[in-house]
Amino acid sequence: MPSELVSRVRSASVPPYLSALFGRLGVAVSLVVELPEGASVPVTALQLIKLGGQGTALQPAQVVPVAAAAPLQVRLEHGGRCLVLVGEQLAGGKVALARRIAEELLGPGEAAEALERFAREAPRQDALRRLTRAMLETQSIHRLRQITLLGMTSGAALGFNRAALFVYDEEARALVGVSAIGPHDDGEAHRIWESIETHDRTLEDLIEEHAASDVDTRFEALVRTLECPIADTGDGDEVAAALAASGPLVFTRAQAVNPAIAALEPPEEFMVCAIKLRGKPLGVVVADNRYSRAPIDPEALDFISFLLDAAALVLENLRLLESVETLARHDGLTGLFNRREFETRLQEEQSRAQRLGSQCGLLLLDLDHFKAVNDTLGHRAGDELLQSVGVLLRSTLRAHDIVARFGGDEFAVLVTDTSDEQVVAIARRIGAGALTRGISLSIGGSLWPREDLEFSVLFAEADASLYEAKRAGRGRACVDRVEGVLEFAAELSMD
C-alpha cells in the first residue's frame, strides 16, 4: 500500500454506522480495492480500508494496482458472492450498504441471521443508553452500583437472573461483597418475573424501585457477608482469572474454585468480569442464570465491558466529587465537621426535635492553656493535641451525635435525643477521658427546648456556661439549667 494512502487511511474518520454494520455482520468479508495509478481515493473507500482487520467482519484490505484508465472500485466478497462499489457509491456521505450487503452478498439464511442479530441487539443498545444516562444523573455511589447490576439483570439489557458486585478494599487487599440484585430462591424468582410481566415495568421503574428499597434483599444480604483475597493461586481461581483478563469470562464447571463464588451456589455456567480503570482493579461482577438455567448469551457478553467501563468512569467522578464535598464539610486537621457543616446539621436537628418532641444539648469545649502549648512546644505539638481531642470526641460520643471543630482550640458537640442527665454524663465522660490523656478541657452546655430559651440563643447560653466553667478553675464543665460545676476525675485504668 503506498505510503501516502497509508497516511490518509490512518486519518480517516469512520462513522459509527459503518463500525456497527461490519462489527455485527457475523460473517467474514474480504475487501479488495482496485486502485488505478495516480487516482484519488474516495472517503468511503478510505473508511472501509481502515475498518479492515480491526476486529470487524472486514478482513485486511488487499490493494491491487490497476491501469490508470481503469475505474477505482471496491469489492466486498463472501461465499462466492461479490458486491462492487464504484463512482458515486464511494464519493462520501451515507452509503446504503446494509441493504446491498443483504441482497447481493449474503445468502437468505445469513441475511435472516444478521437481521435477527440486529433485532436482538437494538433493545440492548437502547437499554444501555438509558442505563448510562441514569448513571450520569446519579449523585450516589450506592445508586450507581444498583443501576449497574440492573443492567446486568434486566431483561431489556443483559438479562442474567442475578448479579453480585464485589469491590476492592485497599486496606484488606480483598474483594468485599457490597451489592447484589436477584432472587433469593425459586419462589422469589417466579414472583419477580410474574410481576414484571403483569405490570409491564420499564427499566426506569426498576431503577426507582431499587432506589426506594422496595425489593427483596436476601440475596444481597448473603453477598455482603462474602470476601475473598486477591491472589493468583494458579489453581483455576475464577476471580484471579477475571482480573488478568481483558473482558468477561464464562466458566463451565460443577463447582466454583473461588470460595466467595462457591458460596453463591451458581449453576454449572456462570460469568465473571473485572471492573478496571486504567488497569487498576476496582471490583468484580459475578452473574448467572441460576433459576432459568438458560445458557449465557454470547452476544450479551459483548455489552458487558461497555456497561462496566461506563460504571467505572462514573464511579471515579463520584469519588472525586465525594472527596471535594468531604473537604468542604470537614476540618482538615481533625477530620471532624467544620463550623459551617455543624450549623447546617444544627438547623436540621432543630426541625427534627420540634417534629418529634425530643430534646438536644449543645456542648462547647475549649482547650485550657492552648496558647502556652504552641508558645513553648511549637505549633506541631499544638496540632497533635487538637488531633488527640478529635480522636477522643469520636470515641466518646454516640454515632448519631454531631461533633465539630469550630476553629482554633474550640470544639462543639450536639447531643441528640437526650435528657439533662445524659448531657451531664457525656460532658463528664469527655472531661474525664481528656484528663486521663493529660489534656485539660473546659466545657459549657445548654439544653433545648425550654420555655425561656429560643433555639437561636442556644450558643450564647452554652458560651456563657463555658466561661463560668473557666472562671471556676478550668478542667470543669458547667451545663445551663443544671446546678453546680462539674469537676472532672481521671478514668481508672482497668489494667
Side-chain angles (χ1 to χ4, degrees):
M1 190 183 302
S3 58
E4 181 182 350
L5 179 58
V6 171
S7 177
R8 291 194 64 196
V9 167
R10 286 177 177 172
S11 61
S13 176
V14 179
Y17 80 89
L18 272 183
S19 297
L21 175 61
F22 288 102
R24 302 298 179 191
L25 197 54
V27 297
V29 177
S30 298
L31 174 63
V32 180
V33 180
E34 294 188 356
L35 183 62
E37 184 179 352
S40 175
V41 182
V43 172
T44 300
L46 295 171
Q47 294 167 344
L48 291 173
I49 295 171
K50 186 171 184 176
L51 276 175
Q54 291 191 345
T56 68
L58 278 178
Q59 304 302 299
Q62 300 178 46
V63 180
V64 180
V66 295
L72 184 148
Q73 66 177 18
V74 172
R75 297 202 312 270
L76 303 174
E77 300 174 350
H78 165 70
R81 295 180 173 87
C82 182
L83 170 59
V84 179
L85 302 174
V86 295
E88 294 182 357
Q89 298 165 339
L90 297 171
K94 186 170 183 179
V95 181
L97 281 177
R99 176 186 293 273
R100 296 197 62 188
I101 286 174
E103 292 176 345
E104 302 179 36
L105 202 61
L106 303 182
E110 291 173 331
E113 288 179 6
L115 180 61
E116 290 174 358
R117 188 178 302 110
F118 277 96
R120 288 193 301 269
E121 292 178 356
R124 283 184 178 142
Q125 290 171 340
D126 178 63
L128 289 173
R129 282 194 294 268
R130 291 150 64 191
L131 288 163
T132 302
R133 184 166 58 247
M135 288 179 181
L136 293 171
E137 290 174 351
T138 188
Q139 299 292 311
S140 163
I141 291 178
H142 174 68
R143 186 106 185 251
L144 172 65
R145 291 169 178 167
Q146 289 181 333
I147 294 169
T148 303
L149 293 178
L150 278 169
M152 298 293 298
T153 56
S154 169
L158 301 178
F160 287 96
N161 287 179
R162 58 182 195 163
L165 173 63
F166 296 79
V167 301
Y168 181 54
D169 186 318
E170 292 189 4
E171 292 186 5
R173 289 283 299 167
L175 290 162
V176 179
V178 295
S179 189
I181 288 179
H184 175 70
D185 51 33
D186 287 281
E188 179 63 16
H190 179 74
R191 187 194 69 78
I192 290 173
W193 293 331
E194 186 177 67
S195 175
I196 291 174
E197 293 300 324
T198 301
H199 299 288
D200 194 25
R201 288 181 294 174
T202 66
L203 185 56
E204 286 75 15
D205 293 334
L206 295 174
I207 291 174
E208 290 305 315
E209 286 178 13
H210 281 80
S213 300
D214 189 21
V215 291
D216 187 288
T217 58
R218 288 176 291 173
F219 177 51
E220 182 173 74
L222 167 64
V223 170
R224 288 182 175 178
T225 66
L226 303 177
E227 177 180 317
C228 60
I230 295 180
D232 187 356
T233 58
D235 58 2
D237 184 284
E238 298 87 1
V239 169
L243 290 171
S246 59
L249 300 178
V250 176
F251 297 91
T252 303
R253 50 187 55 169
Q255 177 72 32
V257 173
N258 184 275
I261 297 179
L264 300 177
E265 299 181 356
E268 289 189 357
E269 186 180 57
F270 57 92
M271 187 282 306
V272 185
C273 186
I275 306 174
K276 300 177 184 177
L277 187 64
R278 302 183 188 91
K280 180 181 178 181
L282 301 180
V284 164
V285 170
V286 181
D288 62 42
N289 291 324
R290 178 179 180 182
Y291 302 105
S292 69
R293 298 289 170 172
I296 293 175
D297 183 359
E299 294 175 9
L301 300 179
D302 295 339
F303 293 91
I304 290 175
S305 294
F306 174 85
L307 176 68
L308 298 185
D309 286 347
L313 289 171
V314 175
L315 175 62
E316 181 182 42
N317 290 336
L318 288 178
R319 284 180 171 172
L320 289 172
L321 179 62
E322 189 179 70
S323 176
V324 170
E325 289 179 345
T326 297
L327 291 173
R329 293 185 290 114
H330 290 75
D331 170 58
L333 182 63
T334 63
L336 304 177
F337 285 134
N338 57 27
R339 179 166 189 156
R340 180 178 178 181
E341 180 66 16
F342 185 84
E343 290 174 347
T344 298
R345 299 294 182 100
L346 192 66
Q347 293 174 356
E348 293 172 355
E349 179 58 29
Q350 178 193 16
S351 299
R352 196 181 75 86
Q354 286 175 327
R355 186 174 65 254
L356 301 178
S358 60
Q359 179 172 279
C360 59
L362 175 65
L363 297 176
L364 297 181
L365 291 71
D366 191 85
L367 276 114
D368 298 324
H369 311 298
F370 180 69
K371 185 176 183 301
V373 173
N374 277 334
D375 291 345
T376 57
L377 301 178
H379 288 282
R380 182 172 181 178
D383 289 346
E384 291 174 352
L385 178 58
L386 293 170
Q387 290 170 333
S388 298
V389 174
V391 172
L392 167 66
L393 293 175
R394 280 194 297 269
S395 63
T396 303
L397 296 166
R398 302 169 300 176
H400 55 274
D401 293 329
I402 302 165
V403 58
R405 180 187 174 204
F406 263 36
D409 60 340
E410 298 177 351
F411 297 82
V413 175
L414 183 64
V415 185
T416 59
D417 298 320
T418 190
S419 64
D420 295 10
E421 294 76 14
Q422 285 178 325
V423 171
V424 170
I426 289 173
R428 193 185 296 277
R429 194 160 61 244
I430 292 172
L435 194 59
T436 302
R437 292 166 173 77
I439 301 170
S440 178
L441 289 175
S442 294
I443 303 175
S446 182
L447 297 153
W448 188 87
R450 52 186 284 186
E451 292 182 3
D452 60 340
L453 178 60
E454 293 292 331
F455 195 82
S456 59
V457 296
L458 193 62
F459 271 101
E461 294 291 337
D463 198 50
S465 297
L466 173 62
Y467 279 98
E468 185 175 340
K470 285 185 173 291
R471 284 195 299 270
R474 304 179 188 271
R476 292 165 170 76
C478 180
V479 179
D480 186 60
R481 204 170 68 183
V482 176
E483 293 185 6
V485 175
L486 310 174
E487 189 169 352
F488 304 135
E491 296 171 331
L492 296 176
S493 172
M494 300 302 292
D495 296 337

